[in-house]
Amino acid sequence: MMENNEQPTLLVVDDDWSMRAALVSRLRMESYVVLEARDGFEALHLIRTVKPRVVLSDWTMPEMDGLELCSQLKADAELRHIYFILITGRDTLADRIKSRDGGVDDFLNKPIDVAELLARVRTGLRMHTMQQEILEKNHQLQQLNRFKSDMLAFASHELKTPIAVMRINLEMMRIEPEEHLREEYLDTTEQQVLRLSDMVNTLLDLRRLEEGKLFYKLEPMDLGQVVEEAVTTQTPVARIKRQHIGVTTLPTVVMADRDKLQHVIENLLNNAIKYSPEEARVLVQMNQGQTDVIVGFIDEGPGIPVDRQSQLFTRYTQLQGDYDDQRFKSTGLGLILASEFIYGMGGHIGVYSKGPGKGSCFWIQMPLMKEDHLMT
């Protein structure tokens, strides 16, 4: 990582005390933070601990010489970006080729000219900064590519089910003679259309999230009412699997963005229904404390290994292994978006499960609205 608002750190490596002391003293006059080492082994330990931007090392040293030190740095993915200046009295073409092949970035010939010393250090610092900026840009591009892949995976995985249900229902409507059954197929199709619309909005929100353009319209609302509306919306989905939704709500006022809060609650409730077996119970429970309120969504699904629970809400993390749960086989963008929404509204989100086969409880925690907000 680049150092911010700090003087650059340099490392001088030389077994000759007088030469090392002279270099350190002169560089500190330029307000650099300068460390020193007597040989390659000591230098390598310091470099792995401190990670200086520039290393100035003598070539000829006992045990580990400067060229071997440079080779080890350049072979390490975390250290290879450090700019390495080799100090030497050797000036043959063969020596220069050998040192370049060893990864040396620049040379400083003995006897050392102070002006040249400072110029080469400044060059090294500029090169280090440019390389760090390139690495950061590459990291951002990798995240963007991963995000695009996740969005495509989310779309291909999540859109298939409602489209298939709509297609089946339309076919059934063509051949069903009973009017009331055709109405049921039409209602189910309408629900799937709404579900597709929600998924498109989710993709748009994910894009805004990645671009840093998510905005929140916070206003007072009854959290219990939002929960009850979500239960009403998801009850037809539970009926398909002959499931029962048990709900306990309280009239509790919180400050939140209604659309985003409703999205989170419906997403967590829908997941509880989706991953619970047929004829299971899905519970939604609210518990209010002095300063906050917790809503839990309890399912009878396959459960989640303890060591994997935190990864469900981590961006750019896909769980691996043989655990048979579609939440781990998909990218989990719905949960990631839910996490971003809840934290953006000042709350917390999490999951508790004793492990595989024990079901899960996803929960959100929201602060109660303060009295000064109520007065205004």
Side-chain angles (χ1 to χ4, degrees), residues 42-137:
E42 185 179 357
L44 197 58
H45 174 73
L46 272 173
I47 291 169
R48 286 173 174 159
T49 303
V50 181
K51 293 184 176 61
R53 297 194 197 182
V54 176
V55 173
L56 300 98
S57 175
D58 189 27
W59 186 330
T60 305
M61 294 184 294
E63 301 296 333
M64 181 189 294
D65 64 19
L67 189 56
E68 175 62 22
L69 173 62
C70 180
S71 298
Q72 293 210 26
L73 260 61
K74 300 303 179 180
D76 190 318
E78 294 187 1
L79 304 177
R80 65 181 53 161
H81 63 278
I82 296 173
Y83 197 82
F84 198 96
I85 301 175
L86 190 63
I87 303 173
T88 179
R90 309 180 190 184
D91 199 26
T92 67
L93 179 60
D95 286 331
R96 287 185 174 272
I97 292 174
K98 182 179 179 181
S99 57
R100 287 294 188 188
D101 288 340
V104 171
D105 297 300
D106 203 354
F107 297 92
L108 193 58
N109 288 324
K110 297 178 181 180
I112 297 173
D113 179 81
V114 172
E116 183 182 11
L117 165 68
L118 299 179
R120 292 189 184 277
V121 168
R122 289 193 296 269
T123 298
L125 292 172
R126 285 197 301 270
M127 294 296 292
H128 181 276
T129 299
M130 291 172 61
Q131 191 168 20
Q132 289 296 97
E133 290 173 350
I134 292 172
L135 289 172
E136 180 62 26
K137 293 295 183 184

Side-chain angles (χ1 to χ4, degrees), residues 312-338:
L312 283 171
F313 306 100
T314 304
R315 296 169 72 181
Y316 310 114
T317 297
Q318 185 170 358
L319 301 181
Q320 303 295 331
D322 57 0
Y323 187 60
D324 189 19
D325 187 336
Q326 289 299 321
R327 280 173 285 197
F328 299 124
K329 295 178 180 178
S330 64
T331 55
L333 291 180
L335 289 176
I336 292 170
L337 188 60

Side-chain angles (χ1 to χ4, degrees), residues 2-11 27-28 30-35 50-54 121-122 124-126 128-129:
M2 292 178 62
E3 299 166 24
N4 298 319
N5 302 320
E6 296 180 3
Q7 290 300 323
T9 299
L10 316 178
L11 174 63
L27 291 169
R28 284 176 177 167
E30 302 299 315
S31 297
Y32 295 131
V33 177
V34 187
L35 306 177
V50 181
K51 293 184 176 61
R53 297 194 197 182
V54 176
V121 168
R122 289 193 296 269
L125 292 172
R126 285 197 301 270
H128 181 276
T129 299

Side-chain angles (χ1 to χ4, degrees), residues 277-319:
E278 293 189 357
E279 301 182 357
R281 289 188 311 161
V282 174
L283 302 180
V284 183
Q285 296 183 342
M286 289 181 62
N287 290 285
Q288 181 177 328
Q290 292 184 347
T291 60
D292 56 22
V293 58
I294 295 177
V295 185
F297 303 83
I298 304 168
D299 64 54
E300 296 181 0
I304 303 169
V306 175
D307 61 341
R308 301 188 181 190
Q309 292 174 18
S310 62
Q311 299 179 47
L312 283 171
F313 306 100
T314 304
R315 296 169 72 181
Y316 310 114
T317 297
Q318 185 170 358
L319 301 181

Side-chain angles (χ1 to χ4, degrees), residues 15 22 34 42 87 116 138 155-156 164 208 218 226-227 229 261-262 285 329 361 372:
D15 62 321
V34 187
E42 185 179 357
I87 303 173
E116 183 182 11
N138 285 339
S156 62
R208 285 190 282 267
L218 300 181
V226 177
V227 170
E229 290 174 358
L261 183 59
Q262 185 171 2
Q285 296 183 342
K329 295 178 180 178
C361 175
D372 54 349

Side-chain angles (χ1 to χ4, degrees), residues 209-221:
L209 168 63
E210 193 65 20
E211 293 175 349
K213 295 180 180 179
L214 272 181
F215 298 100
Y216 296 85
K217 183 183 178 182
L218 300 181
E219 56 186 356
M221 66 190 63

